[in-house]
Every structure is written in structure tokens, then in C-alpha cells.
Amino acid sequence: MPFGFRFPFRRRPRPSTIRTLRTDAAQACAAIHRFGFAHPWSAGEFASLLASPATLASAALDPRTGRLRGFALSRLAADEAEILTVAVDPALRGYGVGRDLMREHLARAALSGVRTIFLEVDPDNRAAVALYRRFGFRDVGRREGYYRRPDGPPTAAIVMRRDLA
Ligand SMILES: CC(C)(COP(=O)(O)OP(=O)(O)OC[C@H]1O[C@@H](n2cnc3c(N)ncnc32)[C@H](O)[C@@H]1OP(=O)(O)O)[C@@H](O)C(=O)NCCC(=O)NCCS
């Protein structure tokens, strides 16, 4: 989606309610995820992740209907975590859903005892890189050949890190 593009809402959507992502949301997660990734995860993959006690899962919901707007999933391991994925409904991108989600997700990770959080991101994914930088993530490495492409050789991921107070 080009920078600055917004779907033609008459007005900005109401702020999201952020909650723990329920285990029965696997289908809704897969429906959003397939709009963000070349290799989207299935509802079954989401169901396994959501069932795991090592997964921290946050949902952004429409405050009136409870409909899923976006989600963030992290894997917890002792006092570290890895963000596995963050995705927002394409019709609602650019309205602060990702920002609200990330703010709460990091706060919830800190409450779970996480002191350091990592992630991998495609350097060409401008929206995601900007979102992570906005939340204080810094580049700490690079993984060559990390992302499979349907139309070419695999490309590198940036590894980012943020310490949580
Ligand atoms: C990345 C993503 C989650 C951002 O969600 P969003 O709800 O659109 O983001 P927000 O509107 O809350 O914007 C938050 C910040 O993200 C960045 N951002 C969002 N869209 C951007 C864009 N098109 N270009 C550049 N930066 C952007 C900005 O830093 C923005 O902060 P600002 O409002 O102070 O400028 C969303 O674009 C998405 O789902 N992308 C597909 C899936 C994906 O790539 N996930 C991340 C990799 S795991």
C-alpha cells in the first residue's frame, strides 16, 4: 500500500479496545494475515500458537462490535520474547491501530517479566520498520536468506531489539 494511502472512511475509527487474543480467533487472524504476507499462516497454525502458554497474544478490537482489527503475537522464553507477527486489517491501516496494539503489547510483555524483546523484519517493509523504530526498536543484526520469495531468491531480514524497563 503506498505511503499515506487511507481507505475512504468518513472519519477516523474509534480507538481500539486492546485485549488478550482469544483462542477462538484463529480464523479471524488468518483472514487478516493473508493480506500482509507472501506466506500467510493458516487458521490451524494460529490455533496452535494461541493454545501455547508461551505465546503472548494481543488483539485490537472494534470497541462497539468486538470485531478483530489487528493482532500481535510474541513467543515468551524466560525474560526474553520474540515478536512473531503483527498485522492490521488492510482497511484500517494508517489509523493508529498498530500503534495502540504495539503500545499495549509491549506493556503486557513487560508485565509478563520480559526484559528484552526481539523481532525480524523485512527491510523493504517500510510501514513495519517505521512502526518498530517508533517504539524504540534498534537494529542489532541481519539474517541472510531469511524470507522466501515466490519470484526470486530469499532475502535478508533485519533483527531488531528493544529493552523493556
Ligand atoms: C505494519 C502495520 C501493522 C502497521 O499498522 P497500522 O495500524 O497501519 O499502523 P499505525 O496507523 O498505527 O501507524 C503506526 C506507525 O507505523 C508507521 N507506519 C504505518 N504505516 C506506515 C506507512 N505506510 N509508511 C511508513 N510508516 C508507516 C509509522 O511510524 C506510524 O507512526 P506515526 O503514526 O507516528 O507516523 C500494518 O501496516 C500491517 O498490518 N502491515 C502488514 C503486516 C506486516 O507487515 N506486519 C509487520 C511485519 S511482522
Side-chain angles (χ1 to χ4, degrees):
M1 187 181 302
F3 178 69
F5 177 84
R6 287 193 167 96
F7 277 76
F9 274 100
R10 274 180 301 160
R11 57 187 167 174
R12 192 179 181 85
R14 288 164 189 259
S16 305
T17 302
I18 312 294
R19 292 269 186 275
T20 296
L21 186 56
R22 290 166 40 140
T23 49
D24 61 4
Q27 197 77 50
C29 290
I32 290 176
H33 202 256
R34 75 193 172 92
F35 289 109
F37 298 92
H39 300 282
W41 300 348
S42 68
E45 288 170 305
F46 277 106
S48 316
L49 276 170
L50 294 175
S52 166
T55 302
L56 178 70
S58 306
L61 306 173
D62 183 304
R64 284 195 288 197
T65 64
R67 188 167 186 274
L68 188 66
R69 289 175 162 180
F71 57 88
L73 295 183
S74 293
R75 185 188 296 127
L76 307 175
D79 63 354
E80 292 188 356
E82 179 188 11
I83 295 183
L84 302 175
T85 196
V86 181
V88 169
D89 180 334
L92 291 167
R93 289 182 196 162
Y95 289 102
V97 175
R99 189 173 55 232
D100 293 347
L101 189 57
M102 185 61 67
R103 186 187 306 111
E104 283 298 311
H105 190 70
L106 294 179
R108 296 177 67 225
L111 282 174
S112 303
V114 172
R115 298 176 67 87
T116 311
I117 191 156
F118 294 91
L119 60 86
E120 282 97 17
V121 64
D122 181 341
D124 292 337
N125 188 343
R126 286 173 39 191
V129 170
L131 173 71
Y132 297 139
R133 292 225 163 99
R134 187 186 199 287
F135 278 90
F137 283 86
R138 296 289 168 254
D139 299 16
V140 291
R142 195 176 160 87
R143 291 195 207 289
E144 299 300 335
Y146 188 83
Y147 291 111
R148 289 176 294 141
R149 302 259 185 215
D151 53 354
T155 58
I158 308 174
V159 182
M160 302 182 92
R161 167 186 175 142
R162 157 124 191 234
D163 294 325
L164 301 177

